[in-house]
Amino acid sequence: MENAAFASGAGIVQAYPGGTMRVLAVEEDPAYLTALTEMLQRHGYQVTAKASPEEGLRALQDNLEGFDLVMTVVRTQGPGIDGFEFLKHAAQRYPVILFSGVEPEETKMRGMLEGACAFLTKPLRDEEVRNVWQHVVARRRLNAASGADARGSDVVAVRQDETVARKRGLDDSGEGGSDGRTAKKNRLNSWSEEELHAAFVKAVEQLRGTEGN
């Protein structure tokens, strides 16, 4: 169901495996926070609205499993942390969308480098708000892929260990090699110098005895 909704872009909010997508929206301007909340709800998102990044951080700490996405204003006038500081905490666990008024490219680049999945300019457009689900699904797929890669690495490591163990077992038992070279090598290593010399002399005498043939 998720793949079909993802391809069509319709009903993705309800099709998300965890149920309706839950958004934590943070904005100091009360009027804009209300407008953003209504816009998100209109597109089917479940919204928790907070009036500052400080309050948003407390909401995350109180309910770590309570959200799928964070949207926060960057610039703040009140006391406490700003959107960038909030980003450092939230991006470790959730996709975070930053938004602000007109900002220089350096500010936007800073947000992306510090972990934001998008940096939007106010006023936010209806289409942008409607499609924030894409960042949630992208994050979920990335996490799933990372888990698969880790499991694959574990399997390869186990198989390598098994191969090394089998090889060592063959070498120790003297059974390695179809022509018995390993066994012969082990026997030679166990001979003394006198025994090796005697075997060499005997082999030379045998060769001399066959020269006529």
Side-chain angles (χ1 to χ4, degrees), residues 166-187:
R166 285 197 298 270
K167 184 177 184 301
R168 287 177 178 172
L170 290 175
D171 290 346
D172 293 342
S173 65
E175 297 176 357
S178 58
D179 57 359
R181 285 193 298 270
T182 302
K184 291 179 181 178
K185 182 178 180 181
N186 289 339
R187 287 199 299 273

Side-chain angles (χ1 to χ4, degrees), residues 8-44:
S8 66
I12 186 66
V13 178
Q14 285 73 29
Y16 183 60
T20 300
M21 286 188 188
R22 301 157 300 175
V23 179
L24 173 60
V26 178
E27 167 60 89
E28 272 193 329
D29 183 338
Y32 201 86
L33 180 58
T34 298
L36 176 59
T37 299
E38 292 175 351
M39 199 181 304
L40 286 164
Q41 291 175 338
R42 186 164 63 250
H43 293 298

Side-chain angles (χ1 to χ4, degrees), residues 14 17 31 36 58-59 65-66 89 105 139 148 152 162 167 210 213:
Q14 285 73 29
L36 176 59
R58 284 198 296 268
E65 303 298 332
H89 298 279
E105 289 301 318
R139 177 70 169 259
E162 291 176 347
K167 184 177 184 301
T210 60
N213 297 328

Side-chain angles (χ1 to χ4, degrees), residues 15 17 19 21 57 80 113 120 134 136 150 167 173 185 187-188 196 201-202 204 206 208:
M21 286 188 188
L57 180 57
L113 290 175
L120 305 179
Q134 298 180 29
V136 180
K167 184 177 184 301
S173 65
K185 182 178 180 181
R187 287 199 299 273
L188 288 174
L196 287 172
V201 171
K202 183 177 180 181
V204 170
Q206 290 176 342
R208 285 175 179 173

Side-chain angles (χ1 to χ4, degrees), residues 43-60:
H43 293 298
Y45 297 95
Q46 177 182 322
V47 184
T48 299
K50 295 298 178 179
S52 70
E54 188 97 20
E55 292 184 21
L57 180 57
R58 284 198 296 268
L60 293 185

Side-chain angles (χ1 to χ4, degrees), residues 83-96:
F84 284 119
E85 187 65 27
F86 183 33
L87 171 66
K88 293 178 182 179
H89 298 279
Q92 299 175 12
R93 193 176 186 92
Y94 313 96
V96 179

